[in-house]
Amino acid sequence: MSDDLILRLHNSRTRRREVFEPLDPRNVRMYVCGPTVYDRAHLGNARPVLVFDVLFRLLRHVYGADHVTYVRNFTDVDDKINARAAETGRDIRAITDETIGWYHADMDALGALRPTHEPRATEWIGAMKDMISDLIKSGHAYEAEGHVLFAVESYAEYGALSGRSIDDMIAGARVEVAPYKRNPMDFVLWKPSDEGTPGWDSLWGRGRPGWHIECSAMAYELLGESFDIHGGGNDLMFPHHENEIAQSACAHPHGAFANVWMHNEMLQVEGKKMSKSLGNFFTVRDLLDQGVSGEVIRLVMLGTHYGKPMDWTERKRAEAEATLAKWYQVLQVHGFGPDLVRALKAGGDWQADPEFIGVLANDLNTPGAIARLHVLAKGRTPQQLAGFAHALDLLGLVPDWADLVRLAGATEAPAHAPWVDEVVAGLLAKRQTARAARDFATADQVRDVLTAAGVVVTDVGGAASWAPGPDFDAFKLEALK
RNA sequence: GGCGAGUUGGCGGAGAGGUUACGCAGCGGAUUGCAAAUCCGUGUAGAUCGGUUCGAUUCCGAUACUCGCCUCCA
């Protein structure tokens, strides 16, 4: 289909934009670090989900939907979860199950496709233990006081991804160093669990895995010792991804682990880092509950290239809402829906716009792709708009073609009393009579009265329709009853 | 302190060593009895200072400022 397409991706490992060549075009493999499941996903969590969802969609478009494997994990063993269980008295599994349910619901609402596999860490403990054993055997890890630690000095490339040297990091370290570590930068592969903490039996006693080993183990099990893309937020670059690389490279010296590393920049809110202490912290669910649709959130997110900080602002939200309303209306007016899409497919008109794909394939240039959407939206016939509709669909901005009417409906009119309908209808009838008689002075007078009450009158064709505007004031109409 | 990113027109936000980004807002026009919608046109922006080049906003260097990670929250 798109054999001549050149996909370029910025590789954090080489710090360059490179032509993407999959190890196996029949099975393109991507791993993305998923959430620790102890609470609702906040807006910042949604950025990598959406960035890599678009990449997933693009890869499926280029290589075929059945030729892409996307793995995103759930970290369901973690001290934050343990703390949440301790403070609520709830069962850990109940917390993680519930949180995964929330996560799915929220990310579904954003139009994110479910990954091919969503492994839970607790279901892969055996694979982690195997990997840790291998690392001890090969001299890359050691046991100390019930812990198993990775020896960073055993891996010469340690620090290459994030551009740090072990010596520099030790010099700048602010954390207290556990006395049993041979090198201050050594990190935990396995740690002991006490009675009240979840644990699994192992050669090193009852305990639980360190944070980093799960991604290495699950990526190996599900994608192999070499795969194509590893993604995540750039906050994970150090130490998480650095440690993943060290573990995987040492445990599977013949594999390349991930060829391409991709990191999305962080999200800000009104120009500031989103944090609890600044009071600008909110979840995806908070936004959805406020009536901000998943499509709007998605369009705002894709409006900034993934490699740059993304600023969530009220103004962008409003602009995206207006843009989407316009786009959906264009499609609706031209009869788009499941039937038309089917007909376009049957007629061979359901094709990707090459320029749109080309822009997107240039390191996932979503802002550029959105610019192309604006151009494509100027089509005048269903055939001319097919590329636009296809592109919107590819970007995940059309959850369901049967829903277009609802999507195009955009804002709901504020509720108003039944008598208002009568009053306005009466006034409009009077205006219509005057217009028919070309008595425009009277017609305009009626419009002025309605405008003063915040009623927006729109003449389409021969008929007038109305809707309560933002300044709608029923009280001003009451006098006209 | 260590590592990294960014600085584009009123706002948002891209690509490309030499030709229109795009959107919103504004302005001019068409159309509409008015209004809305729509359509057409319109903006010589690229932090500062140097360098490379026939030519740089785009490459290189320095300066300033902003931001992120290294620390619970991504």
Side-chain angles (χ1 to χ4, degrees), chain A residues 150-328:
Chain A
F150 184 91
V152 294
E153 284 172 25
S154 75
Y155 179 58
E157 303 291 305
Y158 191 78
L161 177 69
S162 53
R164 300 154 196 246
S165 74
I166 293 175
D167 291 344
D168 286 347
M169 286 187 283
I170 293 170
R174 297 186 211 166
V175 285
E176 210 176 309
V177 178
Y180 48 79
K181 288 187 178 180
R182 291 182 191 167
N183 182 297
M185 298 317 293
D186 288 353
F187 57 90
V188 172
L189 297 172
W190 190 263
K191 56 187 164 187
S193 293
D194 59 26
E195 291 272 321
T197 313
W200 291 260
D201 291 328
S202 78
L203 297 171
W204 322 288
R206 183 174 175 277
R208 58 193 193 281
W211 171 35
H212 315 291
I213 193 69
E214 64 174 88
C215 288
S216 287
M218 295 189 290
Y220 174 70
E221 295 292 334
L222 294 165
L223 298 177
E225 63 181 15
S226 302
F227 55 96
D228 297 295
I229 299 168
H230 190 129
N234 74 350
D235 56 317
L236 297 178
M237 195 184 266
F238 185 87
H240 184 54
H241 290 162
E242 202 73 74
N243 294 354
E244 275 189 57
I245 289 173
Q247 293 160 349
S248 294
C250 292
H252 309 294
H254 301 299
F257 197 41
N259 276 340
V260 181
W261 282 83
M262 293 179 69
H263 291 95
N264 62 280
E265 251 291 354
M266 298 291 97
L267 176 115
Q268 302 185 323
V269 173
E270 303 289 350
K272 289 182 180 165
K273 172 182 167 141
M274 181 167 84
S275 72
K276 285 172 180 165
S277 55
L278 288 173
N280 61 355
F281 183 96
F282 51 91
T283 65
V284 171
R285 180 52 50 183
D286 289 335
L287 279 181
L288 293 169
D289 286 347
Q290 287 163 24
V292 182
S293 74
E295 293 74 38
V296 167
I297 296 171
R298 193 174 177 95
L299 185 61
V300 171
M301 285 279 189
L302 300 185
T304 299
H305 184 87
Y306 75 86
K308 288 193 173 180
M310 142 93 221
D311 196 13
W312 175 274
T313 64
E314 176 57 22
R315 185 170 174 154
K316 284 185 185 175
R317 194 228 84 229
E319 211 172 286
E321 230 155 59
T323 299
L324 281 175
K326 190 172 118 184
W327 284 348
Y328 293 142

Side-chain angles (χ1 to χ4, degrees), chain A residues 132 135-143 148-151 154 189:
Chain A
I132 293 169
L135 287 169
I136 293 174
K137 279 180 205 152
S138 56
H140 292 290
Y142 59 96
E143 236 185 306
V148 180
L149 293 144
F150 184 91
S154 75
L189 297 172

Side-chain angles (χ1 to χ4, degrees), chain A residues 408-429:
Chain A
T411 52
E412 278 180 40
H416 55 267
W419 63 264
V420 170
D421 288 307
E422 286 178 40
V423 171
V424 175
L427 287 166
L428 286 181

Side-chain angles (χ1 to χ4, degrees), chain A residues 366-376:
Chain A
T366 50
I370 290 169
R372 181 62 183 164
L373 284 179
H374 284 293
V375 176
L376 292 173

Side-chain angles (χ1 to χ4, degrees), chain A residues 325-353:
Chain A
K326 190 172 118 184
W327 284 348
Y328 293 142
Q329 278 160 25
V330 164
L331 292 173
Q332 197 204 358
V333 164
H334 288 87
F336 274 82
D339 293 339
L340 180 53
V341 170
R342 207 173 300 124
L344 288 166
K345 283 178 180 168
D349 290 313
W350 189 252
Q351 298 291 332
D353 174 63

